[in-house]
Amino acid sequence: MSVEPAAVEDVAAGLRAAGYLPGESTALVAFLATRLGKPILVEGPAGVGKTELAKAMATYLGRTLVRLQCYEGLDEAKALYEWNYRKQLLRIQTEADDAGWNEVQDDIFGEEFLLERPLMTAIASPEPVVLLIDEIDKTDQEFEAMLLELLSDFQISIPELGRIEARTHPVVLLTSNNTRELTEALKRRCLYLWLDYPSSEHELEIVRLHAPELPETVTTRLVEIVQMVRELDLKKPPSIAESIDWARALLLLGAQDIDPETFRSTLSLIVKHRTDLDIVAERVGVRLGVPAS
Ligand SMILES: Nc1ncnc2c1ncn2[C@@H]1O[C@H](COP(=O)(O)OP(=O)(O)O)[C@@H](O)[C@H]1O
Ligand SMILES: [Mg+2]
């Protein structure tokens, strides 16, 4: 069953029902994107819920999620489509000797010999989908330009086949970990959503959702500590993903409290750089040693 949100509150409730607790602007931007038919560019540090937002949108909207994971060197053949050379070759080989080249050529450049990649799948789908273009900052500007064209026309030209036009428009989410500046042209086409580390209240809610059996005192303490650790000047501050992992670990260990010993032994769940470990052990460990004032 596909869904068309009538108000921001619908989106907020729908995302919650899908297990995603949207922050203040998230539901608003998601609502506008759906109704205006514009892509969302979600930017922010790793582990703050960018990918998960796309999954939750798909669940809420009752649409299939088509995901393109970007990486350095990603090209059109892996993002859009490519010809299935092996199958084409087989077809040519099995062709009787008297068949003319023209006949074979018409044949081997048909849809049967096309390998659809995510962007093409999203465009050609008879049912509207949610298209996630994940970690776009890992590709180069050339790829961005191709994407831009696709996102404005919703069509793909295949020289041998002709134009493939979208029958339905996908809801598009692009994510970026902000490792490079994206082009102004791309930003202009998108609604922008900056996802940052959550507030204490928001993070409490998220951790409770993912580790509901963890004693409330531990959950509260955990969020307090994580927020404290984020204040330090670290190479990689812990994200929501780390908070959730830590909560699940503490649950498994049956922790009733985060005392200095528990903290020390599980620290590596939230801090993952040698130098960061030292800083946190010293700065936060010491604070945990003394009773809270
Ligand atoms: N608002 C949220 N509500 C529920 N879970 C969340 C939320 N934000 C993040 N998470 C959880 O945090 C983890 C990391 O999220 P993810 O989307 O993979 O991060 P990113 O794509 O930004 O690196 C996932 O397990 C996700 O379920
Ligand atoms: Mg991600």
Side-chain angles (χ1 to χ4, degrees), residues 91-256:
R91 177 76 185 79
I92 295 168
Q93 282 168 350
T94 51
E95 190 65 50
D97 284 341
D98 55 352
W101 165 243
N102 283 340
E103 265 169 65
V104 183
Q105 189 185 19
D106 283 350
D107 201 29
I108 61 171
F109 289 107
E111 276 180 47
E112 195 195 332
F113 296 90
L114 201 65
L115 290 174
E116 269 188 13
R117 302 303 185 196
L119 295 179
M120 173 109 172
T121 306
I123 292 265
S125 168
E127 298 293 328
V129 301
V130 169
L131 171 62
L132 165 62
I133 302 170
D134 216 6
E135 307 188 354
I136 174 79
D137 51 329
K138 289 199 176 144
T139 64
D140 51 28
Q141 293 203 353
E142 204 176 306
F143 188 85
E144 239 181 79
M146 183 277 290
L147 209 56
L148 211 60
E149 205 179 305
L150 184 87
L151 294 180
S152 55
D153 301 343
F154 284 103
Q155 63 178 29
I156 296 172
S157 277
I158 303 178
E160 300 87 350
L161 260 187
R163 216 166 44 210
I164 299 198
E165 280 180 66
R167 279 179 274 179
T168 55
H169 275 205
V171 166
V172 183
L173 288 98
L174 302 111
T175 80
S176 161
N177 286 341
N178 209 12
T179 58
R180 75 169 169 87
E181 194 66 31
L182 301 173
T183 59
E184 284 304 322
L186 184 76
K187 288 192 172 171
R188 214 162 31 238
R189 270 222 55 79
C190 299
L191 298 181
Y192 187 72
L193 177 64
W194 171 259
L195 281 190
D196 212 334
Y197 299 119
S199 66
S200 299
E201 303 83 70
H202 192 200
E203 188 155 31
L204 262 175
E205 243 195 308
I206 296 172
V207 174
R208 277 192 205 116
L209 180 78
H210 287 269
E213 299 94 357
L214 192 68
E216 184 59 25
T217 47
V218 182
T219 309
T220 314
R221 194 80 180 115
L222 177 152
V223 169
E224 243 173 57
I225 295 175
V226 169
Q227 298 263 340
M228 197 161 30
V229 170
R230 279 193 200 123
E231 297 283 305
L232 303 174
D233 188 19
L234 301 181
K235 250 194 200 140
K236 172 68 181 78
S239 68
I240 301 177
E242 273 86 27
S243 297
I244 294 171
D245 282 347
W246 197 22
R248 288 186 174 145
L250 291 173
L251 185 62
L252 272 175
L253 296 171
Q256 294 300 311

